[in-house]
Amino acid sequence: MADPTITELAKSVADTQTALNIVWTVLAGTLVMFMQAGFALVETGLTRAKNMAHTMGMNFFVYAIGILGFYFVGFGLQMGGMGPMATFGGEEMLKASAEFTVNLFGKDLGLFGTSGFMLPPAMFTPAVAAMFFFQMVFMDTTCTIPTGALAERWKITHFVLFSFVISTIIYPVYANWVWGGGWLSTLGSNFGLGHGHVDFAGSSVVHMTGGVLAIVCSKILGPRIGKYTSDGRSNPIPPHNVAYVMTGTFILAFGWFGFNAGSTLAGTDGQLAVVIVNTMLASAAGAFASYLFVSLKFGKPDPSWLANGMLAGLVAITAPCAFVDSWAAVLIGAVAGVLVVVAALFIDTKLKIDDPVGAIAVHGVNGAWGIVALGLLANGKYGDGLNGVKGTVAGLFYGNAGQLYAQLVGITANIVYVGVLGGVAFWALGKITKMRPTAEEEVAGLDIPEMGVLGYSNDAGPTR
């Protein structure tokens, strides 16, 4: 018979570990929440002063929209069938049996969760609350990405409606496939493709989803007036406040430590230190590679390119941050720092898609690069048992081609699902309410027509 004292001690230790993991997850989530301020500053700084209140307003309000949409619908679809929460004491309020599945090729493939909507009282435990909070701030990052790509010509009502669609349906379903027990996570256990589609902190789930929405919706909405000449040449529209851009980038880089390291969901997992260092290295390499590339190409290191280079490095390392060596983190960031410039120029000049802040190149293109990088460079040192597969996560260069295949399947699924559903929803909502302002309003600036107040005003008010 077990000694009662030892049993009680073991339970006390386990409870302490669970509490520590919850505290770490919530703390990391607060860092991610503050990234909203970083996005607001970067996007507002990269656009024009006449749209300051409009751009800031969208970045602020998307936070509230995202919370409510995720509370009522999104969380249940995403995590309602995830099964036991291992780092939170193995709690099973979100039962695996609640995952809606279809049987194909003799395998059960999860599509979405069916429990946890509106956090019902019987399920509203500390573990579920921590999971809701952490997943919500990730989702809200995705909702924020299109606000930059569509800035300066998006009507506020259409923005509100489309943001609800992202937070309730588009994001949660794909996130379920990767993080909620859905079919992409089981590509390993069902079909022998590595550990299934692996995305440690969101290169595909968060950033690529936002990037795909940005490119599809930007194409539908069309460019800003005056962006392209009659013969198709691109007119540069410079940022109005570089200080906003640089400050916002630092806030984002700071919050990213919570974004990536918090995805351990465990303060007891020492790998979080490796994640933090890899995140820092990739961000620095991204900024420096952009500096070298734009200096050679343009002769001067435009600070906005350096900022997007750093952000591209952060996006790219988000998926592989727990699975790669430090040299690989530097390589991943450096490639991202060049890729973001090449992609942004191609999107602008060749595809003729107007993206005022470079969101498509930063989040979409480098989100995909991060997923591929994991499939190539995961070193086989971490991730034993991830997605129900024994052994650690290894990429192509470490002997597991199946992991790369799983990563490519995840990218393809994102482009098809997010691109098609996002495009249809954006277009359909445009039939209900106007998606862009009149030409006169756009040229004058959207602050007064859309928000009713100027972002900047020289009016000191009545004197005496």
Side-chain angles (χ1 to χ4, degrees):
M1 178 179 288
D3 186 333
T5 303
I6 295 176
T7 301
E8 290 176 7
L9 179 60
K11 183 178 184 304
S12 177
V13 170
D15 289 346
T16 301
Q17 289 178 325
T18 298
L20 177 60
N21 292 342
I22 288 175
V23 169
W24 165 244
T25 301
V26 171
L27 176 62
T30 61
L31 294 179
V32 179
M33 178 270 172
F34 191 57
M35 290 172 69
Q36 292 292 136
F39 278 116
L41 288 170
V42 169
E43 292 180 10
T44 302
L46 285 171
T47 51
R48 290 170 290 187
K50 65 182 182 179
N51 297 309
M52 189 271 197
H54 184 257
T55 306
M56 272 284 184
M58 288 195 298
N59 275 271
F60 171 82
F61 196 42
V62 77
Y63 175 68
I65 295 168
I67 291 171
L68 295 176
F70 202 60
Y71 169 72
F72 283 106
V73 180
F75 180 69
L77 291 179
Q78 179 181 335
M79 308 304 289
M82 70 172 295
M85 292 179 274
T87 60
F88 297 164
E91 182 172 313
E92 295 186 76
M93 283 294 179
L94 301 167
K95 298 183 182 298
S97 59
E99 180 76 2
F100 180 86
T101 63
V102 294
N103 189 278
L104 293 175
F105 315 110
K107 307 292 184 180
D108 287 331
L109 307 180
L111 296 182
F112 53 85
T114 62
S115 71
F117 302 102
M118 297 175 63
L119 299 174
M123 299 178 68
F124 196 34
T125 64
V128 172
M131 184 62 71
F132 173 85
F133 175 65
F134 194 71
Q135 296 299 335
M136 187 286 300
V137 291
F138 272 53
M139 175 280 306
D140 227 47
T141 297
T142 299
C143 287
T144 303
I145 292 169
T147 64
L150 305 178
E152 304 198 286
R153 75 259 198 221
W154 197 7
K155 286 189 71 67
I156 194 72
T157 303
H158 192 276
F159 148 76
V160 170
L161 294 175
F162 188 64
S163 296
F164 270 120
V165 174
I166 300 173
S167 64
T168 56
I169 300 173
I170 296 175
Y171 176 93
V173 170
Y174 185 80
N176 172 271
W177 296 350
V178 181
W179 290 341
W183 68 276
L184 285 175
S185 68
T186 60
L187 289 174
S189 57
N190 278 339
F191 302 106
L193 298 181
H195 281 67
H197 181 78
V198 174
D199 182 358
F200 189 73
S203 287
S204 66
V205 175
V206 176
H207 298 285
M208 191 177 169
T209 297
V212 170
L213 289 172
I215 192 169
V216 171
C217 298
S218 294
K219 183 65 176 178
I220 295 172
L221 190 61
R224 290 168 290 176
I225 294 173
K227 173 60 181 172
Y228 297 104
T229 63
S230 58
D231 60 358
R233 288 184 294 108
S234 174
N235 285 324
I237 300 178
H240 93 273
N241 195 319
V242 174
Y244 279 10
V245 177
M246 310 315 284
T247 303
T249 300
F250 269 123
I251 291 172
L252 287 168
F254 174 67
W256 230 288
F257 293 131
F259 207 93
N260 286 1
S263 294
T264 59
L265 301 178
T268 54
D269 187 347
Q271 191 72 2
L272 67 86
V274 171
V275 171
I276 283 177
V277 172
N278 279 343
T279 300
M280 177 181 285
L281 290 171
S283 70
F288 195 76
S290 287
Y291 159 74
L292 293 176
F293 188 71
V294 299
S295 295
L296 289 172
K297 187 172 183 62
F298 304 119
K300 301 288 184 182
D302 181 338
S304 63
W305 282 122
L306 307 188
N308 271 351
M310 176 172 283
L311 295 177
L314 289 163
V315 168
I317 199 61
T318 295
C321 55
F323 306 105
V324 297
D325 291 315
S326 60
W327 66 265
V330 173
L331 175 63
I332 291 167
V335 171
V338 175
L339 185 59
V340 70
V341 181
V342 174
L345 294 174
F346 179 80
I347 291 165
D348 182 30
T349 62
K350 302 300 182 182
L351 298 183
K352 300 292 190 297
I353 294 177
D354 183 16
D355 179 358
V357 305
I360 299 165
V362 170
H363 299 280
V365 174
N366 279 289
W369 160 233
I371 292 298
V372 171
L374 188 154
L376 296 173
L377 298 167
N379 57 21
K381 297 179 181 178
Y382 182 72
D384 188 18
L386 181 64
N387 289 335
V389 178
K390 291 183 178 180
T392 51
V393 179
L396 176 65
F397 297 155
Y398 291 82
N400 192 346
Q403 189 60 57
L404 178 60
Y405 297 149
Q407 301 304 95
L408 296 176
V409 171
I411 289 173
T412 303
N414 188 292
I415 293 171
V416 173
Y417 166 73
V418 175
V420 172
L421 182 57
V424 170
F426 192 86
W427 172 83
L429 290 173
K431 299 299 180 181
I432 299 172
T433 183
K434 290 182 179 180
M435 64 177 66
R436 69 182 294 166
T438 65
E440 293 78 10
E441 290 171 338
E442 184 178 332
V443 170
L446 302 184
D447 283 1
I448 294 296
E450 289 296 307
M451 311 304 291
V453 64
L454 290 172
Y456 297 106
S457 176
N458 293 322
D459 184 2
T463 53
R464 293 187 67 168

